[in-house]
């Protein structure tokens, strides 16, 4: 959940922390703060042994994520450098002044260390990241369709961020959580959406999901609830990736991007799809956003 950074001139919040050992070693904190001229902050690194706790304070670098619609606040990374002789801390606090008592403390995710210690072949598993559910989200049938269709297409797990949802949606998500098919994280950022920050700070959520999923899945899809990645020549996304590998050298491929095709809600249903009376009487759900077909 979001925690505040005390003593700053402007709003400053932090959500999660990840050890990043790719290149320069650091603890990478997901946060949200002022777009231009953010407050200067420090990282307090917490180390725990069997019978004692020690801390080390280092200056932090705030890196604003520029997809912000020029609003006052943006999602950001707070980067806490680790020297080569420093071990990975147990947790981290972000402070505006080193003399203050910390108002936040985040557990540092060590997935990179575990992956480095026990390397395995790249997984074919695919995770899905969805921007925060908000405005008391209550499109329950669309949500079920989204989860089930992505499951049929080979997606292994979906991560949601709960800004505000209805009791019905909460019930549905708890069912899928009990099956281990989705993760739902509490997400209530104290910034006014679309006035102070873009869409509930969605880029903080998507980047958190990316780092959270990085060592659990071979691929991560960043899609919205009205988007579907639909293979054209294959039944699942995994089959598509294998199919692409037989036609192109995909060993160095870092990502796949797909052209959108839009199906607008204001368009009428195609009554010529089927002459079968039963099929024609079925309730159909039309999704109004971009459908992402593979080439």
């Amino acid at each position: 959940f979001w925690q505040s950074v005390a003593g700053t001139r402007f709003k400053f919040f932090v959500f999660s922390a990840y050890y990043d050992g790719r290149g320069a070693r650091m603890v990478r904190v997901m946060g949200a703060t002022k777009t231009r001229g953010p407050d200067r902050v420090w990282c307090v690194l917490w180390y725990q042994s069997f019978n004692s706790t020690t801390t080390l304070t280092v200056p932090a670098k705030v890196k604003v994520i520029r997809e912000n619609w020029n609003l006052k606040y943006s999602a950001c990374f707070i980067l806490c450098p680790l020297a080569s002789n420093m071990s990975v801390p147990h947790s981290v606090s972000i402070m505006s002044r080193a003399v203050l008592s910390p108002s936040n403390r985040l557990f540092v995710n060590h997935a990179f260390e575990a992956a480095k210690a026990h390397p395995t072949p790249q997984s074919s598993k695919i995770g899905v990241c969805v921007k925060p559910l908000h405005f008391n989200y209550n499109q329950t049938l669309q949500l079920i369709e989204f989860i089930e269709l992505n499951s049929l297409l080979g997606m292994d797990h979906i991560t949601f961020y709960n800004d505000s949802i209805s009791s019905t949606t909460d019930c549905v998500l708890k069912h899928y959580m009990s099956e281990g098919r989705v993760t739902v994280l509490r997400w209530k950022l104290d910034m006014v959406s679309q006035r102070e920050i873009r869409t509930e700070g969605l880029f903080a959520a998507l980047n958190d999901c990316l780092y959270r999923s990085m060592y659990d899945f071979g691929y991560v899809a960043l899609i919205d609830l009205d988007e579907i990645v639909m293979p054209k020549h294959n039944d699942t996304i995994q089959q598509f990736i294998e199919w692409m590998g037989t036609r192109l050298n995909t060993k160095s491929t870092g990502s796949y991007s797909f052209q959108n095709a839009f199906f607008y809600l204001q368009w009428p249903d195609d009554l010529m799809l089927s002459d079968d009376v039963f099929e024609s009487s079925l309730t159909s759900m039309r999704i109004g956003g971009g459908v992402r077909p593979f080439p």
Side-chain angles (χ1 to χ4, degrees):
F1 60 93
W2 286 101
Q3 300 180 52
S4 64
V5 178
T8 56
R9 295 171 299 155
F10 305 98
K11 291 182 180 180
F12 203 135
F13 298 97
V14 291
F15 184 77
S16 56
Y18 300 90
Y19 170 59
D20 192 347
R22 304 166 301 162
R25 300 171 68 244
M26 68 182 73
V27 172
R28 184 183 295 268
V29 177
M30 304 296 165
T33 191
K34 195 167 183 292
T35 301
R36 293 178 177 81
D39 289 273
R40 187 180 181 186
V41 291
W42 282 260
C43 306
V44 179
L45 309 175
W46 297 80
Y47 294 91
Q48 291 184 336
S49 60
F50 290 109
N51 53 10
S52 66
T53 299
T54 58
T55 62
L56 178 65
T57 301
V58 297
K61 178 181 179 181
V62 178
K63 185 177 181 181
V64 170
I65 298 172
R66 292 298 176 185
E67 292 284 348
N68 51 47
W69 287 352
N70 206 30
L71 296 175
K72 183 176 182 179
Y73 294 101
S74 300
C76 69
F77 296 118
I78 302 100
L79 308 179
C80 307
L82 298 178
S84 58
N85 62 343
M86 294 170 59
S87 58
V88 180
H90 170 270
S91 52
V92 61
S93 298
I94 304 300
M95 299 174 58
S96 62
R97 290 188 292 275
V99 296
L100 292 176
S101 297
S103 59
N104 59 79
R105 189 168 173 179
L106 305 168
F107 169 77
V108 177
N109 185 302
H110 287 215
F112 176 86
E113 289 281 83
K116 184 178 178 181
H118 304 284
T120 58
Q122 178 169 321
S123 171
S124 62
K125 294 174 62 178
I126 303 176
V128 175
C129 300
V130 181
K131 73 180 184 183
L133 302 173
H134 58 284
F135 292 156
N136 201 35
Y137 183 85
N138 194 35
Q139 301 296 317
T140 311
L141 289 178
Q142 180 182 341
L143 179 65
I144 294 171
E145 180 189 52
F146 177 84
I147 294 171
E148 295 296 343
L149 181 53
N150 274 290
S151 180
L152 289 172
L153 291 170
M155 304 300 196
D156 293 280
H157 194 83
I158 304 175
T159 300
F160 293 101
Y161 293 82
N162 175 13
D163 178 80
S164 63
I165 59 177
S166 70
S167 58
T168 307
T169 301
D170 182 60
C171 181
V172 169
L173 288 174
K174 283 180 177 176
H175 166 74
Y176 284 112
M177 289 172 65
S178 70
E179 295 183 339
R181 296 170 64 182
V182 309
T183 294
V184 181
L185 300 172
R186 188 171 65 177
W187 188 269
K188 197 67 178 177
L189 177 59
D190 186 20
M191 293 178 177
V192 182
S193 181
Q194 315 299 42
R195 293 185 180 180
E196 290 187 321
I197 196 168
R198 182 175 174 182
T199 318
E200 283 72 37
L202 80 160
F203 288 104
L206 293 178
N207 276 282
D208 172 78
C209 184
L210 177 64
Y211 281 89
R212 188 178 298 271
S213 306
M214 186 178 293
Y215 300 103
D216 292 329
F217 303 94
Y219 305 90
V220 176
L222 309 181
I223 55 178
D224 205 350
L225 290 172
D226 61 357
E227 296 176 323
I228 294 295
V229 183
M230 184 62 66
K232 189 174 182 180
H233 299 290
N234 311 99
D235 293 329
T236 67
I237 311 301
Q238 288 90 342
Q239 290 175 4
F240 162 76
I241 293 172
E242 293 175 3
W243 179 78
M244 286 289 290
T246 64
R247 287 156 176 78
L248 300 170
N249 182 5
T250 58
K251 291 182 179 179
S252 60
T253 300
S255 64
Y256 294 90
S257 181
F258 310 108
Q259 182 178 356
N260 281 20
F262 289 91
F263 296 84
Y264 293 104
L265 287 173
Q266 62 265 33
W267 290 355
D269 290 329
D270 188 349
L271 301 179
M272 302 301 293
L273 284 176
S274 175
D275 294 328
D276 185 275
V277 176
F278 174 74
E279 289 185 6
S280 299
S281 66
L282 291 176
T283 300
S284 62
M285 297 181 62
R286 288 177 292 153
I287 299 179
V291 179
R292 298 190 171 185
F294 287 121

